[in-house]
Amino acid sequence: MGVLDLITLLIFLAAVFTFINVNYLKLPSTIGLMIIALVLSVLILLSGYIFPEITDLAISIVSEFDFKEVLLDVMLSFLLFAGALSINVKSLKEERWPILIFATLGVLISTFVVGFLMFYVFAFFGYEIDLIYCLLFGALISPTDPIAVLALLSDAKVSKKLEIKIAGESLFNDGIGVVTFLTILGLAQSGVENFSIGSTLGLFGVEVGGGILLGAVFGFFGLKLLEIIDNAHVELEVLVTLSLVMVSYRAAEFLHISGPLAVVVLGLFLSKEGHSAETEKATGDYVYKFWHLVDEALNAILFILIGLEIIVISKEYHPDYFLIGLCAIVVVLFARLVGVGIPVKIMERLRSFEKNTLAILTWGGLRGGISVALALSIPDDFEAKNIILSATYSVVVFSILVQGLTIKKLVPKK
C-alpha cells in the first residue's frame, strides 16, 4: 500500500469508528475509538485461525504504518502544540511549582521504582533482564501521556486547580520522559561502564533547557508576527502557526534538544487564555478552531492505531507476558503513587491541596501512544524488546480503558 492508501484507510476508519461511538457507545472519544479498534483487532486475530491470510494481510498493513515514526516524528508536535494552546497560562503560572516538581522529580522517582521492581518481576518469571533495560522500561512508562490525559480531563470534571496540575504536568513530563528514555537508551548502547554523572546531567540539562529556550524564542517571535497580521487573514495565521510548529520541532531535532518541550513552550506563548488582552487578540478564534479540529482528528487516528497495534504485538506474544503485564500494571500504579506522593507530602507543608488530590493524580496518570512509540523505538537487537513492548501495551490499555473510565468516581462531588 502507498502512503496515500494508508492515510485514506486511517481517515476512513476514524470516520466509521467515530460514527459508531457517537451514535451507539457514547463513550469519551479516545476510549470509544480504542475499544472499537481493539475489538476489530481481536476479531482479525481470531479469524486468522480459520483464514490465516486475513491475519497476515492485517499484520502487513498495520506494520506499514510504523507507529513510532508516525507518532514521534509526525503527529506528536501537532498534538502537543494543540494541547498547550488550550492551557490557561495564568493558572499554569500559579501552579508552576507543583507542575515542575511532578514533571521532573516525580518522573525520575517513578522511573527508578518501576525499573528496580520490574527487575525482580522479570526474574520471578525466569527472564534475566539487565537492570539497565528495566530502567529503560521505567523511563518510557513513567511519564503521563498529555494526549490521553487532556482528552479525558474535560469529561472528568475535576477542579480547575487540579486540572491545570494534571494537564501541565502531562505536557512537561512528556518531554522530560523522552529525554530520560534517550539518556538511558544511550547508556544501554554504550555500556554502563562509560557512565558519567557529570556528562549525563550535562546532556540532560542541554536537552531540557535547550528545548525550553528554543520554544520561547519561536514563541516570542511567532507572537510578534501574529500581532502584525490582521485577524481577517485567517489563512495566513493558520499557515504561520503550522510553520512555527513544524520548523521549531525540526530545528530541535537538528540541534539535538527536546522537540516536545519546544512545541509545548511555543503553544503556551500563543495560548489564548491567561495572557494580556493584546496578546489574546493576536491569534483569531478561527486559528484555535483549526487546531482543535487537528487535535480531534489526530487523536482519533492515534487511538485507533493503538488499538490496532495489538495485531503486530501478538506475533511475538508468549503466555507469560500476560501475567507479567498484570504485574507491570500494579508496579506502575505503585510507582506513580510514590512519584507524586512524596512531592505532595513535602509541598503540603507550604500549600493546600484539594481533597483526593493524591488519588486523582495517581489514578489519572494515564499512559498512551507515546509509551508504545518509545517501546517500539528500542532497537530490535535488544533481547528484552518484545517483553518490554508487551508490558508497555498492557499498562497503556489498562490505563486508558480502566483508569480513564473510572477516574470520575474519585472526583469529590460538589
Side-chain angles (χ1 to χ4, degrees), residues 213-223 243-244 247-248 251 262 266 269-270:
L213 179 61
L214 182 69
V217 171
F218 271 87
F220 176 79
F221 286 106
L223 189 57
S243 62
L244 285 170
V247 173
S248 62
L266 169 63
F269 264 84
L270 303 184

Side-chain angles (χ1 to χ4, degrees), residues 38-350:
L38 281 171
V39 170
L40 176 62
S41 299
V42 171
L43 290 175
I44 290 172
L45 291 173
L46 290 175
S47 67
Y49 289 103
I50 303 173
F51 306 105
E53 59 274 9
I54 294 179
T55 303
D56 293 339
L57 176 63
I59 289 174
S60 66
I61 292 175
V62 176
S63 297
E64 286 187 53
F65 283 114
D66 192 349
F67 187 90
K68 174 254 176 183
E69 183 177 354
V70 169
L71 177 55
L72 295 183
D73 296 340
V74 180
M75 297 172 65
L76 184 59
S77 58
F78 300 117
L79 287 165
L80 289 178
F81 177 78
L85 209 60
S86 65
I87 295 292
N88 187 304
V89 177
K90 183 179 178 182
S91 299
L92 187 72
K93 288 178 181 176
E94 292 173 355
E95 301 293 336
R96 62 185 178 278
W97 290 115
I99 290 171
L100 178 63
I101 293 171
F102 291 148
T104 53
L105 182 61
V107 169
L108 294 176
I109 290 174
S110 177
T111 296
F112 282 94
V113 171
V114 171
F116 279 99
L117 290 180
M118 288 305 295
F119 176 78
Y120 293 105
V121 169
F122 290 138
F124 178 80
F125 285 95
Y127 294 92
E128 299 298 327
I129 297 177
D130 291 342
L131 179 60
I132 191 70
Y133 299 137
C134 298
L135 290 173
L136 194 64
F137 173 65
L140 68 88
I141 206 66
S142 289
T144 55
D145 191 313
I147 301 160
V149 171
L150 292 172
L152 291 171
L153 270 183
S154 57
D155 294 315
K157 294 187 170 130
V158 299
S159 70
K160 290 300 180 184
K161 282 191 175 182
L162 188 52
E163 180 179 343
I164 199 69
K165 285 188 185 79
I166 299 173
E169 179 210 359
S170 66
L171 283 169
F172 283 100
N173 74 9
D174 170 58
I176 300 294
V178 171
V179 173
T180 304
F181 171 83
L182 293 175
T183 302
I184 296 176
L185 180 61
L187 284 175
Q189 291 175 317
S190 63
V192 182
E193 63 276 5
N194 298 317
F195 172 72
S196 164
I197 294 179
S199 61
T200 301
L201 289 176
L203 177 63
F204 190 87
V206 169
E207 285 258 1
V208 173
I212 292 173
L213 179 61
L214 182 69
V217 171
F218 271 87
F220 176 79
F221 286 106
L223 189 57
K224 294 301 178 186
L225 184 58
L226 289 174
E227 287 175 352
I228 295 172
I229 300 172
D230 189 337
N231 281 343
H233 299 289
V234 177
E235 71 287 352
L236 181 55
E237 289 187 331
V238 169
L239 285 173
V240 167
T241 53
L242 272 172
S243 62
L244 285 170
V245 173
M246 298 175 75
V247 173
S248 62
Y249 199 78
R250 295 304 168 200
E253 288 186 337
F254 177 77
L255 296 171
H256 300 291
I257 55 181
S258 177
L261 286 175
V263 293
V264 166
V265 174
L266 169 63
L268 293 177
F269 264 84
L270 303 184
S271 172
K272 187 175 183 180
E273 296 186 61
H275 285 296
S276 64
E278 294 77 14
T279 300
E280 290 180 2
K281 290 179 183 177
T283 309
D285 287 336
Y286 283 100
V287 174
Y288 288 95
K289 291 176 182 177
F290 166 79
W291 279 104
H292 178 72
L293 177 61
V294 169
D295 188 37
E296 291 291 322
L298 291 183
N299 259 314
I301 292 172
L302 172 60
F303 284 92
I304 288 172
L305 280 174
I306 294 175
L308 295 176
E309 198 64 28
I310 193 175
I311 297 175
V312 176
I313 293 174
S314 65
K315 287 193 304 179
E316 306 294 338
Y317 193 78
H318 188 280
D320 284 348
Y321 290 2
F322 177 74
L323 295 176
I324 292 173
L326 292 179
C327 292
I329 291 169
V330 176
V331 166
V332 170
L333 282 172
F334 174 73
R336 173 69 177 172
L337 176 63
V338 175
V340 296
I342 292 176
V344 165
K345 292 302 178 185
I346 293 172
M347 287 186 288
E348 274 182 340
R349 301 179 181 182
L350 303 173

Side-chain angles (χ1 to χ4, degrees), residues 354-390:
E354 298 87 341
K355 183 182 178 182
N356 282 3
T357 290
L358 186 54
I360 294 172
L361 284 172
T362 302
W363 199 248
L366 307 184
R367 273 69 179 183
I370 293 172
S371 293
V372 176
L374 290 177
L376 287 168
S377 73
I378 297 174
D380 291 332
D381 57 352
F382 278 36
E383 58 182 0
K385 177 174 181 175
N386 289 334
I387 194 169
I388 288 176
L389 180 57
S390 177

